[in-house]
Amino acid sequence: NSDDIVEVINYTKSNQAKPNPEYFGAGEGMNVIYVQLESLQNFLIDYKLHGEEVTPFLNSLQSEENMLYFDNFFHQTAQGKTSDSEFMAANSLYGLPQGSAFTTKGLNTYHAAPAILGQQGYTSAVFHGNDGSFWNRNEIYKSFGYDHFFDSSYYHLNEGDLAEYGLMDKPFFNQSIPLLESLPQPFYAKFITVTHHYPFKINEGEATIAPHTTGDKTVDNYFQTARYADEALAQFFDYLKSSGLYDTSIIILFGDHYGISNNHTQAMEQVIGKEVTAFESAGLQRTPLFIHVPGIESQTIHEYSGQIDLLPTLLHLLGVDTRKYVHFGTDLLSEEHDDLIPFRNGDFVSPKFTLAEGKFYDSNTGELIEEEQLEEAQKYRDNAKQKLDFSDKVVNGDLIRFYTPEGFRQVDRSNYSYSLENQ
Ligand code: GP9
Ligand code: MN
């Protein structure tokens, strides 16, 4: 009931992280361009196969100007996969432990990024080369307050350009350009890529690196579609630079979730050259995060962080006060950022302890912890569980509908329609 939201607000308020004055408002008024990189895991960064870099473009971003790279950023998705990562990035609420909140909670009330920014003069849009009904996107995006959703019906789907889940990334980005240019600025635009998706198939003519040699087809091909995704992204960046958008936009790139599941442990041991214990497997849930903000100094940041942290981080960069919103993550550029990163099953990572498959590890050594540390580690676990439980309470109870932050207008779903005919 409506009292429950008060308890939640008290909890999230007491866990807020003060913005870092060095970054607060650093991107005020700028466009926002999100790129969700399908299945891209962080072990690919700087990985060499047959003596070649697999993702030379992403690698080069580590030394790009005005770029932050986070090498301890984790995906926190569960069965909702891509949709869970979107859900967290838009709301700083956790996805559900089972199923997908996108599918089952599409009609809930949300205070999502497009709505918050929409009320500050931003135009919001999602670009995705798959059918709009996939993951119930065309419904939940209305609840999030997205002005536009350019799904596959807005793109030319030439037969040779199709991947398992829609348009291949290169034609997808190319064809997105006129759509992007049709938006008034400032905009909040999100691109969801698809080529680098299980089972990682690619035509021979498109492949520019030979597969890996582990003998596990999924793992071996993973490197070829990763290379393609990297090239597609490089092309998109060329456009952003030549059009001038690069200098007026915050750009956030992140991997949505793992591509190689735990069913491929043996092959992964060959890939990373060490035993894949439960601890290593938790570590493999790192996905890359890059944030470009014109004018800031480049840095590689080792802070432990997760997808739940993206929204407060972005809002603070834009100079938006987040105190009145119900967020379960914290600004990862803040001195007070919370570096306890829960996974959806109650496991967690943090700089000190990792809980993986029910066992506590020392995050530095990867060894099981000593008996005398157990009590402290259990507190971490309880803390992680509390975050997940509170978030589930909000999502399952549709509690946001009982709370209207001052100066915010609740989203009216009937204002939104994405079909091509109505544009
Ligand atoms: C489908 C694409 C893939 O439109 O986003 O979703 P996933 O299978 O990765 O959750
Ligand atoms: Mn995905």
Side-chain angles (χ1 to χ4, degrees):
N1 66 35
S2 57
D3 288 347
D4 292 337
I5 190 69
V6 176
E7 193 193 359
V8 172
I9 292 170
N10 287 339
Y11 174 78
T12 54
K13 276 222 157 91
S14 67
N15 285 290
Q16 240 143 19
K18 250 203 250 72
N20 182 335
E22 195 185 322
Y23 291 105
F24 187 81
E28 196 174 333
M30 291 183 189
N31 300 309
V32 178
I33 299 174
Y34 251 111
V35 182
Q36 279 201 208
L37 301 166
E38 177 59 43
S39 298
L40 215 102
Q41 288 173 248
N42 200 59
F43 74 82
L44 285 167
I45 302 296
D46 290 336
Y47 188 84
K48 282 209 172 128
L49 177 62
H50 320 303
E52 282 175 59
E53 292 176 83
V54 180
T55 56
F57 178 69
L58 281 169
N59 299 348
S60 76
L61 292 182
Q62 293 171 91
S63 48
E64 173 84 8
E65 272 178 54
N66 312 129
M67 187 72 77
L68 304 174
Y69 168 53
F70 298 82
D71 61 1
N72 280 314
F73 176 76
F74 290 81
H75 88 81
Q76 297 167 288
T77 67
Q79 288 170 348
K81 304 298 289 291
T82 309
S83 71
D84 281 352
S85 70
E86 289 189 57
F87 192 76
M88 284 181 271
N91 299 291
S92 197
L93 294 169
Y94 290 98
L96 292 173
Q98 266 94 40
S100 160
F102 259 47
T103 312
T104 60
K105 305 295 174 190
L107 300 178
N108 276 13
T109 300
Y110 295 99
H111 299 154
I116 295 171
L117 294 175
Q119 294 178 24
Q120 313 226 355
Y122 278 73
T123 301
S124 52
V126 177
F127 302 77
H128 185 49
N130 195 7
D131 193 281
S133 63
F134 202 94
W135 284 129
N136 199 34
R137 285 181 173 110
N138 52 6
E139 288 304 330
I140 202 166
Y141 284 169
K142 296 178 189 168
S143 308
F144 290 175
Y146 272 111
D147 298 315
H148 303 278
F149 177 23
F150 303 114
D151 76 343
S152 55
S153 64
Y154 288 81
Y155 293 82
H156 302 288
L157 305 174
N158 300 326
E159 209 176 309
D161 290 342
L162 290 181
E164 203 107 340
Y165 290 88
L167 191 58
M168 296 277 284
D169 297 348
K170 287 179 189 177
F172 164 65
F173 280 123
N174 279 336
Q175 292 185 40
S176 296
I177 291 170
L179 298 169
L180 182 65
E181 291 184 344
S182 74
L183 301 178
Q185 297 189 33
F187 53 69
Y188 171 89
K190 181 162 83 164
F191 296 81
I192 309 168
T193 65
V194 297
T195 307
H196 185 45
H197 191 290
Y198 178 83
F200 314 112
K201 271 202 236 129
I202 193 160
N203 294 335
E204 213 162 316
E206 302 265 27
T208 60
I209 187 166
H212 211 302
T213 54
T214 68
D216 176 327
K217 253 203 156 37
T218 299
V219 174
D220 293 351
N221 295 351
Y222 181 81
F223 294 83
Q224 294 190 294
T225 47
R227 167 63 76 76
Y228 174 92
D230 188 70
E231 290 171 350
L233 195 63
Q235 282 180 14
F236 187 49
F237 267 61
D238 282 345
Y239 158 74
L240 293 173
K241 287 186 174 171
S242 64
S243 67
L245 281 173
Y246 197 73
D247 303 318
T248 55
S249 304
I250 295 180
I251 303 170
I252 305 180
L253 311 175
F254 73 98
D256 65 349
H257 49 74
Y258 66 78
I260 306 294
S261 73
N262 277 335
N263 302 326
H264 303 277
T265 300
Q266 277 187 357
M268 278 309 290
E269 293 188 341
Q270 293 183 52
V271 169
I272 64 171
K274 53 183 161 182
E275 194 192 337
V276 178
T277 59
F279 173 79
E280 281 303 331
S281 166
L284 283 169
Q285 306 314 307
R286 286 180 176 85
T287 64
L289 168 65
F290 290 94
I291 304 182
H292 159 82
V293 187
I296 65 159
E297 208 175 305
S298 297
Q299 214 184 322
T300 295
I301 297 180
H302 308 301
E303 181 78 6
Y304 275 62
S305 58
Q307 290 165 334
I308 199 78
D309 299 322
L310 291 169
L311 179 59
T313 305
L314 171 65
L315 291 178
H316 285 172
L317 282 169
L318 291 169
V320 177
D321 189 344
T322 59
R323 278 174 295 186
K324 61 185 175 192
Y325 297 111
V326 175
H327 290 165
F328 285 90
T330 53
D331 178 353
L332 51 86
L333 295 166
S334 164
E335 297 283 335
E336 297 172 2
H337 171 253
D338 187 351
D339 56 14
L340 169 63
I341 313 302
F343 294 137
R344 202 38 270 203
N345 64 359
D347 284 353
F348 65 82
V349 290
S350 76
K352 189 161 185 181
F353 302 120
T354 294
L355 178 61
E357 289 172 23
K359 292 203 174 86
F360 292 107
Y361 295 84
D362 179 319
S363 296
N364 287 312
T365 62
E367 303 290 332
L368 291 168
I369 62 166
E370 305 290 335
E371 187 67 35
E372 61 262 26
Q373 290 183 296
L374 196 58
E375 209 176 311
E376 192 189 351
Q378 280 166 347
K379 284 207 189 95
Y380 277 60
R381 181 191 59 197
D382 296 347
N383 193 349
K385 184 173 179 329
Q386 190 177 39
K387 291 174 198 282
L388 295 167
D389 288 350
F390 268 126
S391 176
D392 288 351
K393 223 172 173 176
V394 172
V395 178
N396 286 322
D398 188 10
L399 296 186
I400 298 287
R401 79 191 134 129
F402 300 121
Y403 172 54
T404 308
E406 216 185 293
F408 181 87
R409 266 172 290 112
Q410 301 286 54
V411 173
D412 178 356
R413 292 174 43 84
S414 70
N415 288 338
Y416 303 94
S417 162
Y418 305 128
S419 60
L420 198 46
E421 303 85 69
N422 296 336
Q423 300 302 305

